Amino acid sequence: MWETVIGLEIHVQLATESKLFSSSPTNFGSEQNTQASIIDLAMPGVLPVLNKKAVDMAIMFGLAVDAKIADKSIFARKNYFYPDLPKGYQISQYELPVVYDGKLEINVDGKKKIIGITRAHLEEDAGKSIHDLFDGESAIDLNRAGTPLIEIVSEPDMRSAKEAVTYLKKIHSIVKSLGISDGNMEEGSFRCDANISLRKPGDPFGIRAEIKNINSFRFVESAINFEVDRQQDIIESGGTVNQETRLYDPKKDETRPMRSKEEANDYRYFPDPDLLPVEITDKQISNIKKILPELPDSKKERLISQYNIKNDDAEILSLSSQLFEYFEKASQDISSAYQLLANFILSEVVGLCNKHNLDISEAKVNAKDVAKLNNYINDGKISMKQAKDVLSESWESNKRVDDIIKSKNIEQISNPDLLLNEAKKILEKHPKEVQDYKNGKDKLIGFFVGQIMKETKGKANPKTINQILNKLLKG
Amino acid sequence: MDKDTIKKLTYLSKLSIPDSDIDELSKNLDNILKLIGEIDAAPTDGMLPMAHPLDFSQPLRDDVCKKDINREENQHDSTKIKDGYYTVPKILD
Amino acid sequence: MTYKSVTEILQAIKSKKISALEITSEYLKRIKASDGNLNSFITVTEEAALNKASDIDKDISKNNFKPLSGLPIAQKDIFCTKGVKTSCGSKMLDNFISPYDATVVDKLNKAGTIMLGKTNMDEFAMGSSNETSFYGPVKNPWDNKYVPGGSSGGSASAVAARISPCSTGTDTGGSIRQPASLCGICGLKPTYGRVSRFGMIAFASSLDQAGLFTTDALDAAILLKEISGHDPKDSTSSTVDVPDYYDYCINANKKEFTVGIPEEFVNDLNDDVKVSFYDSVKILEKIGCKVKTINLRHTGLGVSAYQVVAPAECSSNLSRFDGVRYGHRSKKSSSLESLYKESRSEGFGKEVKRRILVGTYALSAGYYDAYYLKAQKVRNLIAQDFSQAFEKVDLILGPTTPDKAFKIGEKMNDPIAMYMSDVYTVSTNLAGLPAMSIPMGFKEGMPLGLQIIGNHFDEKDILRLSHLFQKETDWHNRKPGG
């Protein structure tokens, strides 16, 4: 009966060396206020100068979401008081943002949907306030103040938590693929605000609540679900939803109003007189287009068409740029069995990464060795099980795959003559079972295979053994 | 300019005007508004707002870090500092 | 010792007739003698000045000269000076020691000047009389009952009283030219963007410009070259080349300037000012100028538009003064809200608070279009008037102020009357044009000023014409007390 309407505002920290309007470093985790220059501290008399790389990165994002790039773009001051905002205003963009009118196609439960991107603009991040460090006081660290952000504003086109999370994940993979952000949600370089309202289908939009600063995909989903229930309860019991800003509390799995956020704040936007209009030429845009890294959608298409990977696997491989890189590197040494390689990477390598809480970029076995293992499996040199063991051991010990195989002497025996001998030996040893097999107990073939494996200490190539046994037993 | 407007303005600009000064302030502000109200009749149809006297575009800075931050110098007024943090009365969130 | 000008001081130092230490000590002595009365300095940096003078003398002994080696100078207390108190005339910054030098200060330091101290000013540059300063009013050296003008009252007064050979100032609506006129000296406001604003505490960012006070035009020419030029730290600073202004003043052949007199500038003049003004015009004609009457039809809207744009920008620029990271923090800070309110209310004076409130109003929802946006369009109208005028004339003339200086306290209770003292100066700031005020006579013993306005980046013509005028007149050599 109720339709959920969701719009997302995503704040993405750009991976520039220096801040948006000052030359201070942007590293995460430095000692408090050691990365806050006189400009970041809003000392009297200081002035902002715009970082070229940040503009380039905004253009890259605009191109990736099929958006228009403004040929003239203006910075505006958003005026309000808060201790993590040293100037008493944030330099942001209001009219004339650098990117506008974009769109993104998402795939939810097999259905395609287009989410509109109203705008993406450049703005500076605020510092951090820490409330539990000192008794009765809040501590302010301005290291982060001035870090470049793009704020990506979607149209209120999403209708479910799932759609919202899918959109969010896709934006996340785009900014990482482009190299414009490390997308690290724990460190705060990718933050999401969700605007949620309910309405009866066909009615105008309802009153919305804004949930601020959600920093994980899981929390976005939970926050939206909680909020939808909360609003539904209010409306169905005859009340009206307050237009307010709320925070999501993951421990209690609920949203609550923000106490310190000023209601009815008039930001008094006006063009910043310390900055001039940013002009972006067609030439600049085409230069950036030339160096634009490959985007997830195009990667997925290539995986399907060039490598014959199944759709679902292609989707997963294309969403993480490091995972995709890993796959492509390994595939260089594979001649045709790409799906098997994909299976191996997705289950075994990613499995080990998850087990040890590592990112694929930190995998302890490199792509080339994984390619080697896959080639050995395909050539019958080792079995799948042996390959998994070798992978594990290489991961733990840091030894190369070839060294482990050699030292353990686990090269599979595939020599048909050798195996024929072994097979004949076993069949001679177990005449009763041979007779039973010939009388119809087909399952006994497993018994013979097992015996041969025992004899060869697991090294016999199971496929070859099966073929040989079949021949011997038929005759 | 009525007292409510003045209240809203002082709230936005974080100023406190003692009640004894409000009347004089209100009179002053009214006169100022009358003065600036003269622009209302100006023939500005079709004119663009002039944000800057000079007509050029924003220069761009190369993305290079400068290691010229001296926290001690910046924080020489130690009455506002604890362990390198700026401190303010506790903010409830 | 008496040196009439910067040029003479530099020559004396270069020819080693006097040392940097000697000249610096002389001015420090004069400051001690008169400034208890004038109050033109907030901070006198005696020890640092003497140390720098000694260093300069060491360099000079090795024949290592910089363009302004040994020249004492006073800096308006709006410029950040590293390690030295920078108060902007306000209680808000009474305890502020700047961690860096403004670009203007840095350039002058590197050129060999010796800073005598920081001069008094209207609080945060808001005022036309230097009566809003936390450090008390500055007196006009010609008659201590009168104001020196503002906001750069201290810088003007010091040069007029000959207790500093030159000084820096800032001009947002007339804050260099008006005090220069009331104090009988030269005051130059360059084209917007000619001089870097980095380190100059911002009042109205699209109007502020750093400039100079000197006793004659040639001095201004020498100093202008040293402070001008593109600064990568200021996005609004211009890359237009800096000419050798002094060389142009002396050697350019130009003297038949076409000068325009706007009707709007001379309609309501009182008799004394009219006589002085037209006498000056006659002298310019004698020099070879052709005089035309022109119109700047929308100048009358200048003060109104200015009183929207400047407060709007300043209301935002002054938000950083919140008691959190530097500056005055109230003891009554039991909550964040009270920390802000009390620190700012205690730190700012009445005029500053008034302008912040007006500016906040002009930018607020529902009023932005009618006030701020409209005022920026009026700015365009005024700028257009000037461009059209400059198609017919080289320079524009008029009196700098409607009258001589007024008495201390006379206009303090009437903000509107105070704002109207800027009527001839604000439109040049709105259009970003360069202008200079030079002495043109006296009324009842108090100086009057002639304003010359040029087109963008035409400072050299303004300076040249002023120099030619000063070759024919003596007003700029008069000083208080005979």
Side-chain angles (χ1 to χ4, degrees):
Chain A
M1 182 177 67
W2 294 106
E3 181 177 69
T4 309
V5 175
I6 304 167
L8 294 184
E9 284 166 21
I10 306 170
H11 289 90
V12 179
Q13 258 182 23
L14 297 178
T16 52
E17 294 292 322
S18 62
K19 293 185 179 178
L20 187 57
F21 294 112
S22 74
S23 304
S24 308
T26 52
N27 314 331
F28 180 81
S30 301
E31 200 186 314
Q32 53 277 17
N33 292 308
T34 53
Q35 286 179 187
S37 70
I38 55 175
I39 295 172
D40 308 320
L41 295 171
M43 287 276 168
V46 297
L47 294 170
V49 187
L50 181 61
N51 183 330
K52 176 176 194 301
K53 192 95 191 255
V55 179
D56 288 347
M57 288 182 168
I59 296 173
M60 285 171 89
F61 179 76
L63 292 172
V65 297
D66 240 339
K68 300 202 178 71
I69 314 287
D71 55 10
K72 186 171 115 157
S73 158
I74 307 275
F75 282 102
R77 294 188 183 179
K78 179 180 182 181
N79 296 281
Y80 66 97
F81 283 87
Y82 204 72
D84 66 7
L85 193 69
K87 294 189 287 294
Y89 59 85
Q90 176 199 34
I91 303 180
S92 176
Q93 296 193 289
Y94 187 56
E95 301 166 332
L96 303 185
V98 57
V99 166
Y100 62 102
D101 278 359
K103 63 185 190 296
L104 192 65
E105 186 184 271
I106 59 170
N107 219 310
V108 180
D109 292 334
K111 277 201 253 156
K112 289 193 185 166
K113 180 168 180 173
I114 304 233
I115 307 294
I117 295 176
T118 320
R119 53 188 275 154
H121 66 253
L122 284 165
E123 61 181 25
E124 46 177 7
D125 208 348
K128 275 211 186 97
S129 342
I130 306 157
H131 308 295
D132 53 7
L133 210 56
F134 304 127
D135 230 3
E137 288 179 312
S138 289
I140 314 292
D141 174 13
L142 296 170
N143 280 347
R144 199 181 64 177
T147 306
L149 299 174
I150 41 168
E151 178 175 333
I152 303 165
V153 181
S154 79
E155 293 286 325
D157 287 346
M158 288 156 274
R159 296 285 173 270
S160 70
K162 209 165 189 186
E163 283 183 10
V165 174
T166 308
Y167 167 81
L168 195 63
K169 283 187 172 167
K170 192 147 191 195
I171 296 278
H172 187 255
S173 77
I174 288 175
V175 302
K176 286 186 76 169
S177 303
L178 290 174
I180 64 177
S181 176
D182 65 16
N184 188 327
M185 295 177 91
E186 280 96 52
E187 289 181 359
S189 39
F190 191 89
R191 320 191 286 255
C192 178
D193 296 345
N195 289 301
I196 302 152
S197 65
L198 298 181
R199 67 172 179 184
K200 291 232 176 77
D203 276 359
F205 288 142
I207 299 179
R208 60 168 192 199
E210 182 187 11
I211 321 292
K212 280 198 89 64
N213 279 341
I214 316 172
N215 65 357
S216 93
F217 298 126
R218 251 192 324 124
F219 293 165
V220 167
E221 188 162 6
S222 310
I224 292 175
N225 288 333
F226 176 87
E227 188 57 22
V228 167
D229 285 340
R230 183 188 79 88
Q231 290 192 13
Q232 194 166 316
D233 284 344
I234 292 176
I235 300 175
E236 281 178 354
S237 59
T240 39
V241 174
N242 282 341
Q243 179 166 335
E244 61 186 353
T245 311
R246 300 171 73 87
L247 282 177
Y248 175 70
D249 184 339
K251 290 195 202 104
K252 295 193 185 151
D253 188 23
E254 61 180 27
T255 66
R256 55 168 173 79
M258 267 181 92
R259 266 172 284 170
S260 62
K261 197 72 186 181
E262 306 184 47
E263 356 70 33
N265 211 335
D266 180 356
Y267 294 120
R268 289 155 281 137
Y269 284 98
F270 71 103
D272 193 326
D274 290 329
L275 294 164
L276 298 166
V278 183
E279 278 179 20
I280 298 176
T281 59
D282 285 337
K283 183 150 186 262
Q284 261 174 285
I285 298 175
S286 61
N287 283 340
I288 291 178
K289 234 186 212 158
K290 285 189 205 136
I291 59 162
L292 206 64
E294 195 179 13
L295 291 171
D297 280 347
S298 139
K299 286 180 189 169
K300 182 176 169 185
E301 265 172 50
R302 270 207 303 129
L303 285 167
I304 295 172
S305 61
Q306 254 179 268
Y307 296 97
N308 271 318
I309 304 291
K310 284 187 294 181
N311 187 69
D312 289 347
D313 293 337
E315 176 88 12
I316 300 173
L317 285 172
S318 64
L319 282 183
S320 156
S321 48
Q322 281 106 330
L323 184 55
F324 181 81
E325 246 176 70
Y326 193 93
F327 172 82
E328 266 216 312
K329 198 154 186 210
S331 67
Q332 282 166 5
D333 295 343
I334 304 274
S335 53
S336 63
Y338 298 116
Q339 181 63 56
L340 292 173
L341 174 68
N343 293 344
F344 191 85
I345 292 176
L346 287 173
S347 60
E348 304 312 316
V349 183
V350 172
L352 280 171
C353 284
N354 288 341
K355 180 171 164 198
H356 296 274
N357 239 329
L358 295 170
D359 190 64
I360 185 71
S361 56
E362 301 165 297
K364 298 270 174 77
V365 180
N366 68 43
K368 279 190 160 310
D369 269 4
V370 163
K372 271 205 184 117
L373 284 176
N374 269 265
N375 282 332
Y376 293 159
I377 297 172
N378 295 332
D379 294 340
K381 281 215 181 96
I382 60 175
S383 67
M384 174 62 88
K385 181 176 185 310
Q386 286 170 320
K388 290 185 196 181
D389 292 340
V390 171
L391 179 71
S392 240
E393 182 161 345
S394 175
W395 190 285
E396 305 286 337
S397 69
N398 254 323
K399 290 207 198 115
R400 298 302 299 277
V401 148
D402 279 337
D403 293 337
I404 296 173
I405 290 179
K406 215 175 269 172
S407 71
K408 293 221 147 152
N409 196 15
I410 55 175
E411 268 209 44
Q412 220 171 248
I413 302 170
S414 294
N415 185 327
D417 294 327
L418 264 168
L419 290 177
L420 185 61
N421 264 336
E422 293 295 330
K424 281 188 179 158
K425 270 200 282 181
I426 292 296
L427 292 181
E428 272 166 33
K429 247 175 137 185
H430 303 278
K432 177 178 182 297
E433 283 79 1
V434 174
Q435 192 59 50
D436 287 341
Y437 178 84
K438 284 195 175 156
N439 286 342
K441 283 200 176 149
D442 292 337
K443 290 215 173 116
L444 278 170
I445 198 152
F447 168 73
F448 297 130
V449 172
Q451 290 298 305
I452 295 170
M453 284 302 204
K454 233 163 113 188
E455 275 302 305
T456 61
K457 296 197 181 65
K459 289 205 248 174
N461 183 329
K463 223 166 146 190
T464 322
I465 286 290
N466 263 292
Q467 285 169 350
I468 291 171
L469 282 170
N470 269 315
K471 259 209 197 122
L472 287 175
L473 291 165
K474 291 244 161 70
Chain B
M1 205 188 278
D2 60 49
K3 297 215 164 87
D4 278 338
T5 311
I6 297 186
K7 220 179 180 172
K8 189 180 109 185
L9 294 176
T10 53
Y11 172 74
L12 287 176
S13 55
K14 299 295 172 239
L15 292 172
S16 79
I17 312 281
D19 284 334
S20 51
D21 289 353
I22 294 273
D23 283 329
E24 187 198 341
L25 177 66
S26 185
K27 230 183 280 169
N28 283 329
L29 292 177
D30 280 341
N31 287 334
I32 295 172
L33 286 187
K34 216 184 290 170
L35 170 69
I36 64 183
E38 287 179 18
I39 61 174
D40 198 44
T44 55
D45 281 337
M47 287 239 96
L48 289 172
M50 180 196 215
H52 288 103
L54 298 172
D55 189 24
F56 54 98
S57 62
Q58 174 65 28
L60 298 168
R61 167 177 59 88
D62 284 337
D63 184 29
V64 172
C65 279
K66 283 219 182 102
K67 301 220 166 78
D68 57 358
I69 296 174
N70 186 325
R71 191 176 74 176
E72 265 84 58
E73 263 179 19
N74 294 339
Q75 295 187 341
H76 82 274
D77 179 1
S78 54
T79 60
K80 303 166 170 62
I81 313 288
K82 221 179 238 174
D83 287 348
Y85 290 99
Y86 295 97
T87 55
V88 295
K90 190 153 201 138
I91 306 164
L92 300 167
D93 216 6
Chain C
M1 68 180 82
T2 40
Y3 291 101
K4 279 199 298 195
S5 63
V6 166
T7 329
E8 285 189 6
I9 292 174
L10 291 176
Q11 274 167 11
I13 292 190
K14 194 105 195 259
S15 57
K16 301 195 183 169
K17 259 196 229 145
I18 190 171
S19 71
L21 196 58
E22 282 170 316
I23 190 119
T24 304
S25 307
E26 169 64 22
Y27 279 104
L28 288 169
K29 203 172 81 190
R30 294 186 195 182
I31 293 171
K32 272 204 188 96
S34 8
D35 209 44
N37 174 48
L38 289 175
N39 199 26
S40 40
F41 280 86
I42 292 175
T43 305
V44 179
T45 47
E46 178 165 353
E47 196 182 324
L50 294 171
N51 286 337
K52 175 117 194 242
S54 307
D55 287 342
I56 301 251
D57 282 332
K58 283 198 196 97
D59 287 340
I60 290 175
S61 67
K62 301 187 202 129
N63 277 327
N64 190 348
F65 287 96
K66 302 225 183 62
L68 304 173
S69 280
L71 176 68
I73 191 166
Q75 298 277 11
K76 182 174 179 179
D77 210 10
I78 198 172
F79 292 102
C80 286
T81 41
K82 184 167 178 164
V84 175
K85 167 171 162 169
T86 301
S87 74
C88 218
S90 179
K91 178 176 175 177
M92 183 57 91
L93 293 178
D94 182 45
N95 67 356
F96 179 66
I97 311 281
S98 176
Y100 75 107
D101 276 328
T103 299
V104 164
V105 171
D106 188 50
K107 283 184 151 188
L108 287 167
N109 284 343
K110 290 200 168 94
T113 61
I114 296 160
M115 183 171 84
L116 295 167
K118 308 297 290 297
T119 58
N120 204 345
M121 51 180 284
D122 275 309
E123 186 182 4
F124 284 106
M126 299 181 209
S128 306
S129 63
N130 216 136
E131 293 175 280
T132 66
S133 170
F134 175 63
Y135 302 95
V138 174
K139 312 245 179 73
N140 191 317
W142 293 89
D143 185 331
N144 293 170
K145 296 193 295 297
Y146 288 81
V147 301
S151 62
S152 314
S155 281
S157 174
V159 172
R162 285 14 186 210
I163 63 178
S164 178
C166 56
S167 61
T168 55
T170 60
D171 192 312
T172 304
S175 293
I176 288 179
R177 293 159 287 156
Q178 185 249 25
S181 171
L182 304 190
C183 288
I185 56 176
C186 302
L188 170 65
K189 176 198 105 59
T191 310
Y192 182 88
R194 176 77 288 180
V195 181
S196 169
R197 290 187 300 114
F198 188 79
M200 196 172 109
I201 299 177
F203 162 20
S205 317
S206 73
L207 303 169
D208 294 343
Q209 189 54 190
L212 301 156
F213 290 100
T214 55
T215 51
D216 70 35
L218 284 180
D219 287 356
I222 296 173
L223 292 173
L224 181 62
K225 177 157 180 266
E226 298 308 319
I227 62 172
S228 299
H230 175 65
D231 182 7
K233 294 194 241 168
D234 175 1
S235 299
T236 60
S237 86
S238 166
T239 49
V240 168
D241 282 337
V242 180
D244 186 337
Y245 297 106
Y246 180 82
D247 183 69
Y248 187 82
C249 279
I250 306 272
N251 297 319
N253 280 325
K254 191 146 188 200
K255 57 184 175 178
E256 284 102 24
F257 293 99
T258 309
V259 296
I261 300 176
E263 278 181 342
E264 295 81 4
F265 280 8
V266 295
N267 279 341
D268 289 312
L269 293 181
N270 69 50
D271 291 332
D272 296 89
V273 177
K274 212 180 237 171
V275 167
S276 273
F277 178 68
Y278 283 106
D279 282 348
S280 307
V281 173
K282 280 198 206 97
I283 292 172
L284 292 174
E285 282 175 311
K286 201 178 100 188
I287 292 171
C289 290
K290 286 192 236 339
V291 177
K292 275 193 177 154
T293 303
I294 59 170
N295 283 105
L296 295 173
R297 275 180 304 129
H298 303 99
T299 318
L301 295 167
V303 175
S304 306
Y306 174 80
Q307 288 298 341
V308 173
V309 175
E313 292 181 7
C314 95
S315 71
S316 179
N317 284 329
L318 265 57
S319 294
R320 67 191 60 200
F321 302 111
D322 54 14
V324 174
R325 300 164 311 290
Y326 54 81
H328 177 74
R329 185 191 276 212
S330 171
K331 293 203 170 55
K332 300 190 217 143
S333 310
S334 53
S335 68
L336 181 66
E337 187 72 11
S338 62
L339 186 157
Y340 283 147
K341 280 197 137 159
E342 299 307 321
S343 303
R344 286 165 64 80
S345 304
E346 288 168 15
F348 292 140
K350 263 194 186 153
E351 181 63 27
V352 169
K353 284 188 199 142
R354 258 199 295 265
R355 299 217 193 179
I356 291 176
L357 291 171
V358 171
T360 306
Y361 185 74
L363 291 174
S364 60
Y367 296 102
Y368 177 85
D369 283 2
Y371 286 111
Y372 189 72
L373 200 61
K374 181 85 183 186
Q376 295 283 51
K377 291 181 184 176
V378 171
R379 239 180 126 159
N380 224 338
L381 272 181
I382 291 176
Q384 263 184 22
D385 283 352
F386 276 108
S387 347
Q388 280 161 11
F390 282 120
E391 279 166 22
K392 301 187 219 124
V393 302
D394 299 319
L395 298 166
I396 294 174
L397 275 177
T400 309
T401 48
D403 207 346
K404 65 172 194 179
F406 45 91
K407 289 217 175 92
I408 292 179
E410 192 179 308
K411 295 192 183 174
M412 271 308 269
N413 290 323
D414 190 353
I416 305 293
M418 191 71 87
Y419 298 159
M420 292 314 288
S421 10
D422 295 336
V423 66
Y424 299 131
T425 49
V426 286
S427 36
T428 36
N429 299 85
L430 292 167
L433 297 167
M436 183 152 146
S437 177
I438 56 177
M440 72 167 177
F442 286 83
K443 171 183 169 177
E444 291 154 16
M446 295 300 288
L448 297 171
L450 173 69
Q451 180 177 222
I452 306 175
I453 304 170
N455 209 346
H456 293 117
F457 301 104
D458 264 352
E459 288 86 351
K460 60 187 200 302
D461 283 341
I462 297 174
L463 289 163
R464 169 129 178 104
L465 184 60
S466 301
H467 171 60
L468 294 172
F469 181 82
Q470 287 176 344
K471 283 217 284 200
E472 304 296 320
T473 59
D474 204 43
W475 308 119
H476 60 289
N477 288 322
R478 306 266 193 95
K479 51 189 203 275

